[in-house]
Amino acid sequence: MTTAKGNAPEAPEGYDKHAFEPFAVTVDLAVFTVRAAVLQVLLIERGQEPYAGRWALPGGFVLPDESAETAARRELAEETGLSDVTGLHLEQLRTYSEPDRDPRMRVVSVAYAALLPDAPEPHGGGDAARAQWLPYDRLGPLAFDHDRILADAHERVGAKLEYTCLATAFCPPEFTLGELQQVYETVWGTVLDRPNFRRKVLATPGFVELIPGAARLTGGRGKPAALYRAGAAAALHPPLLRPSREGRPI
Amino acid sequence: MTTAKGNAPEAPEGYDKHAFEPFAVTVDLAVFTVRAAVLQVLLIERGQEPYAGRWALPGGFVLPDESAETAARRELAEETGLSDVTGLHLEQLRTYSEPDRDPRMRVVSVAYAALLPDAPEPHGGGDAARAQWLPYDRLGPLAFDHDRILADAHERVGAKLEYTCLATAFCPPEFTLGELQQVYETVWGTVLDRPNFRRKVLATPGFVELIPGAARLTGGRGKPAALYRAGAAAALHPPLLRPSREGRPI
DNA sequence: CCTCTTTATAGTCCGAGTGACTATTAAGGA
DNA sequence: TCCTTAATAGTCACTCGGACTATAAAGAGG
């Protein structure tokens, strides 16, 4: 880990025709999980100004020899306390660069969305700040422009459920079709017809594969459900569209 | 708005627990147009090392009081020589931040994709470098990681044609359905059935609207085509999917 | 002027996909 | 044993889209 270099880099040859201003570059993480049919978001309570006491997305600086992707995965491991985050779905969302988005200084932030299959209680994190899962609904205003980042992340995740096999990233290694449907219903905030959902999922080759043994599982009453694991496919053809939304955002 | 021109910002309160390293932040533009059934890209010939003589995407530094979006639009105006770029489609692609992507220094680049309805010959640009439209196919290797950026941009534009009304951004204010179909065929590199394309486009409310007068146009032989303009809709429901691609990237 | 070519436009046919719905199976609880 | 719950199976009709044919309206060339 390098220290802050005390002098600004001079614009090297080839850059001399432009103004040159160093920026701080950070990553912000929108980490989602589905627990008990509720979409949960990992948030950190800020301990100091600005926005002291408000909830914020976890994140931090990109280190000098890191890519943003590497920094995001490092922060994800730190904030969740998980030892292995290599299998988790992590996806770059977009970059937020409004000049006044951080009142302290000029910060450009690369936002990532991450999906977790279950929700381990978060580790304190490297910041010793309070990290906690909170339901996506019922969130007060977040710090900085994190409301918008989180809304963008939610929209992206919802859209990707339509045309990719991403939903399995919310599920444990072995899951029932009911649990998979629950993911769709929770993220989309809709109710789906169970036989039709089942027909669609099973008709998509490589989406899920049956665990062939009589392996079954019961969450309580009712007929035990067959267990599936994620398949090899990445995309859904044709897509599994959300029920009638007329004007969907781009 | 932050100052601190010329000297590195000190990590302010709240940031002191992190290492802090200033980065240069730039924008790179993948500017597309369709001319004569060929997908063209606006490129700049580099005059100096590294990659002297190679083609590169236009772009430049984000100025201290600019957002990346503002910088991208400014660069777009400079490079194309167009006086008004407010109506053009400009969309953030993703951010490239590999530590070694620019051998001179640490540069984080926010990439944008832009679509132009027709191809005015490019202005020299503020860099006095040679700017030129080149066909998307038959491009040698570009400078830096611009091959990958351009490929990502192409994939994104192709995907957005499926589920948005973006194709009209490639067309002049008044266009025929044949020209619109030409955009799809050129970007996708496929051939579409004309009656089916027509049926689909006209069945999507708000995609295009007929210019009601006997306004017609002939590009040469054949029956004159009716003229349309872009409608108010932004999304396509259901989408206009590319012909059979089995494993589509996410 | 007539015919051929070209392009736009209209319409048909059929099969895949999906929404809405009903029926059956297999468990636990009263 | 009966009821409830949840998974699974199956039906029916409608829509959409791919493939295809037919017609209309222009220019080119004899």
Side-chain angles (χ1 to χ4, degrees), chain A residues 194-195 198-199 222-223 226:
Chain A
R194 196 188 300 264
R198 172 187 194 75
R199 182 221 291 158
K223 179 174 176 177

Side-chain angles (χ1 to χ4, degrees), chain A residues 25-108:
Chain A
V25 177
T26 63
V27 291
D28 283 322
L29 271 66
V31 187
F32 292 103
T33 196
V34 171
R35 181 166 50 175
V38 176
L39 184 65
Q40 311 260 0
V41 186
L42 185 65
L43 293 175
I44 300 226
E45 190 173 24
R46 287 187 57 80
Q48 47 199 346
E49 294 296 336
Y51 302 103
R54 293 265 273 273
W55 294 97
L57 299 179
F61 284 98
V62 178
L63 302 182
D65 52 358
E66 276 182 333
S67 67
E69 162 96 20
T70 303
R73 205 165 280 278
R74 172 178 54 76
E75 290 286 341
L76 181 61
E78 290 177 6
E79 306 289 357
T80 62
L82 293 176
S83 58
D84 184 21
V85 294
T86 52
L88 302 182
H89 182 86
L90 181 69
E91 169 180 334
Q92 190 183 124
L93 238 196
R94 54 162 294 169
T95 293
Y96 298 83
S97 61
E98 296 301 317
D100 55 353
R101 60 180 295 278
D102 188 321
R104 294 165 295 183
M105 63 180 300
R106 186 65 202 268
V107 176
V108 170

Side-chain angles (χ1 to χ4, degrees), chain B residues 21-40:
Chain B
E21 172 84 352
F23 294 76
V25 177
T26 63
V27 291
D28 282 322
L29 271 65
V31 188
F32 292 103
T33 196
V34 172
R35 182 167 47 176
V38 176
L39 183 65
Q40 311 261 359

Side-chain angles (χ1 to χ4, degrees), chain B residues 72-93:
Chain B
R73 206 165 279 279
R74 171 177 56 74
E75 291 286 343
L76 180 61
E78 289 176 8
E79 306 290 357
T80 61
L82 294 176
S83 58
D84 184 22
V85 293
T86 53
L88 301 181
H89 182 86
L90 182 68
E91 169 179 334
Q92 190 182 123
L93 237 196

